[in-house]
């Protein structure tokens, strides 16, 4: 009788964590290196400022998608070690969002704060994006272990605001485009799907009488 090879499920152990984190850092940093290279060698398009703002905004959206994917993937494939990378990826969301808003304020508005107020009135999507960013600031500051311990159960309540960010960010993107809505529409669908998945997981845990955190 021929021997049947049964493929073992993917297994990640605690000793793999440094390598996983190193890989995630590399994957998140490479696009920034590419952006710098594009700007320096003049391949950032006819409007480098717009290119930088859009590029860093997309980086923030993509890393946010990665954050929301970690938990369901870890639970689906029983990869508990993967859960320990959420803070790392979350901080990269903050890094890209910081580059995005810094580029907008310095390269587009040239730090003209009065102009910023008028822009908010004319373009409400800026206020939506700023709200998401302020929430990101709070989550990043409270990701420090010392602060996390001090906050206790309130920490989890605060960090559930990542789901509000997941609503605000694609809306900000959708409202910011002038004509091409296919790409932002795709992100709206992606984020809606990830949030729906989260709701289904919470309902399942509630039915099973498990802790929902």
């Amino acid at each position: 009788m021929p021997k049947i090879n049964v493929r073992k499920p993917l297994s990640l152990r605690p000793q793999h964590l440094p390598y996983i984190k190193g890989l995630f850092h590399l994957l998140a940093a490479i696009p920034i290196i590419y952006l710098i290279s594009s700007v320096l060698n003049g391949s950032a398009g006819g409007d480098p400022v717009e290119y930088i703002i859009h590029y860093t905004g997309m980086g923030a959206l993509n890393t946010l998608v990665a954050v929301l994917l970690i938990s369901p993937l870890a639970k689906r494939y029983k990869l508990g070690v993967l859960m320990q990378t959420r803070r790392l990826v979350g901080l990269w969301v903050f890094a890209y969002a910081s580059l995005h808003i810094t580029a907008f304020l310095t390269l587009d508005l040239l730090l003209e704060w009065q102009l910023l107020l008028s822009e908010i009135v004319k373009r409400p999507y800026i206020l939506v994006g700023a709200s998401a960013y302020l929430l990101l600031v709070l989550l990043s500051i409270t990701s420090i272990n010392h602060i996390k311990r001090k906050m206790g159960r309130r920490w989890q309540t605060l960090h559930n605001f990542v789901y509000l960010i997941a609503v605000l960010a694609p809306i900000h993107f959708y409202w910011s485009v002038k004509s091409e809505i296919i790409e932002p529409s795709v992100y709206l669908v992606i984020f809606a799907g990830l949030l729906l998945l989260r709701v289904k997981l919470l309902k399942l845990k509630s039915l099973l009488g498990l802790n929902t955190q």
Side-chain angles (χ1 to χ4, degrees), residues 63-79:
T63 46
L64 182 57
V65 168
V67 167
L68 296 176
L69 276 173
I70 287 174
S71 183
L73 286 176
K75 291 171 182 175
R76 172 66 179 81
Y77 296 103
K78 296 180 172 57
L79 303 174

Side-chain angles (χ1 to χ4, degrees), residues 35 47-62 96 99-101 103-104 172-173 176-177 180 183-184 187:
L35 172 63
D47 188 349
V49 171
E50 182 63 28
Y51 180 87
I52 293 170
I53 293 172
H54 178 74
Y55 189 99
T56 51
M58 296 305 300
L61 282 172
N62 290 332
Y96 272 102
L99 290 173
H100 178 65
I101 196 168
F104 173 69
H172 166 74
F173 182 28
S176 69
V177 299
E180 180 54 63
E183 189 177 24
Y187 276 91

